Amino acid sequence: MRGIEKLKNKKLIFATHNIGKIKEFEQLFSGIGIDFLNLSSFKIEDEPIENGLTFSQNAEIKIDYYFNRIKESGFEFKPETYLMSEDSGIEIKYLNGDPGVKSARYGGDITTKERNELILSKLKGVSKIERKARYYCCIKVLNFFDEVKMEFTGKLDGYISKESNDGDGFGYDPIFIPLGYNMTISKLGNELKNNIGHRSAATKKMISKIFNYER
Ligand code: IMP
């Protein structure tokens, strides 16, 4: 690890309400020495309509929306403050790339477990090759001072399991098996996900570029 001293005054605001993502980001940034804030620090509870056609467009919608909301709150901008948004999801070959950008709301107002059961039922009898799936993550980062925006992406290839008894893990983790493994991400655990995951890949690129820090 290097560069911790230089990072002492840096602040990063996570523009998300998603607890699963916040938990993962906290682990991915742990030990670096950056100060974290999230939307609750600004009492922001609302969210924009994510009607982009791509992960990148949705991440852009979120960063612009929360940037304006935070500006309205009278937050004092310093050069070392960054805002980060993220849009992610899963694309399944057999479903022609669905749920994709609609991953959070696929199947309507149902629980995560019901959503995973819905996917498993749609893929009933479908061969492993057609069960191919990919997690995708797009991170946007904006520096409050010069308003320069940057984008970082990551992906994780795998396939959808035939069944799942892995409970209520984050999103599609109870039914997603990474390539080269034979159990779901929920079973494999967070340590492995932080090494091979889509969010981790995008985050590592971002940390290296913006904070000049290698994990
Ligand atoms: P959004 O980016 O807030 O639109 O939501 C992305 C959705 O994709 C999440 O609510 C999950 O359903 C799914 N998703 C994204 N990344 C992951 C992951 O790492 N594990 C499980 N599900 C994920």
Side-chain angles (χ1 to χ4, degrees):
M1 293 205 289
R2 61 186 170 85
I4 288 191
E5 277 309 309
K6 276 198 311 201
L7 299 176
K8 282 251 164 77
N9 297 318
K10 307 265 188 205
K11 280 194 182 22
L12 184 64
I13 305 167
F14 290 138
T16 182
H17 296 292
N18 185 312
I19 302 295
K21 290 183 187 180
I22 291 175
K23 276 193 197 147
E24 269 190 43
F25 280 126
E26 280 175 351
Q27 287 169 5
L28 290 168
F29 283 95
S30 70
I32 298 186
I34 301 170
D35 254 3
F36 287 117
L37 298 169
N38 59 48
L39 295 174
S40 60
S41 316
F42 302 92
K43 306 209 170 6
I44 298 174
E45 286 171 6
D46 46 299
E47 51 192 17
I49 297 169
E50 293 176 35
N51 52 7
L53 299 178
T54 62
F55 295 108
S56 177
Q57 284 173 7
N58 277 342
E60 183 94 10
I61 289 170
K62 289 186 227 187
I63 206 157
D64 289 344
Y65 181 85
Y66 291 117
F67 180 56
N68 288 320
R69 293 285 285 109
I70 292 170
K71 267 207 283 196
E72 285 161 17
S73 77
F75 180 70
E76 192 193 337
F77 300 126
K78 296 232 169 94
E80 61 274 21
T81 305
Y82 295 84
L83 177 66
M84 175 176 111
S85 74
E86 190 257 28
D87 199 68
S88 52
I90 192 166
E91 295 171 332
I92 300 173
K93 183 170 192 262
Y94 185 73
L95 301 179
N96 298 317
D98 274 354
V101 288
K102 293 179 243 110
S103 292
R105 45 195 188 280
Y106 190 69
D109 192 14
I110 53 178
T111 65
T112 298
K113 199 161 185 219
E114 287 165 346
R115 189 165 289 117
N116 287 338
E117 277 159 11
L118 173 67
I119 301 271
L120 292 181
S121 72
K122 288 194 178 212
L123 268 64
K124 205 169 170 38
V126 171
S127 68
K128 185 171 168 184
I129 194 136
E130 289 292 311
R131 305 179 84 86
K132 269 194 197 160
R134 172 176 285 173
Y135 269 138
Y136 192 85
C137 164
C138 176
I139 288 177
K140 298 253 181 191
V141 183
L142 181 147
N143 178 280
F144 269 84
F145 195 67
D146 54 23
E147 298 191 21
V148 167
K149 242 181 251 169
M150 282 182 262
E151 177 176 302
F152 305 91
T153 59
K155 62 185 173 68
L156 175 63
D157 285 303
Y159 56 97
I160 300 297
S161 60
K162 288 237 154 80
E163 53 189 27
S164 177
N165 303 310
D166 297 347
D168 279 337
F170 172 27
Y172 299 89
D173 284 353
I175 58 166
F176 182 88
I177 302 178
L179 271 192
Y181 295 84
N182 56 10
M183 41 179 127
T184 65
I185 285 268
S186 288
K187 274 245 166 65
L188 289 164
N190 274 348
E191 206 177 314
L192 181 93
K193 191 174 182 193
N194 288 345
N195 278 323
I196 64 167
H198 51 310
R199 194 162 293 102
S200 142
T203 304
K204 281 176 189 157
K205 290 181 201 167
M206 174 219 160
I207 293 175
S208 162
K209 174 84 181 169
I210 296 193
F211 300 118
N212 191 23
Y213 180 96
E214 305 297 333
R215 295 223 73 138

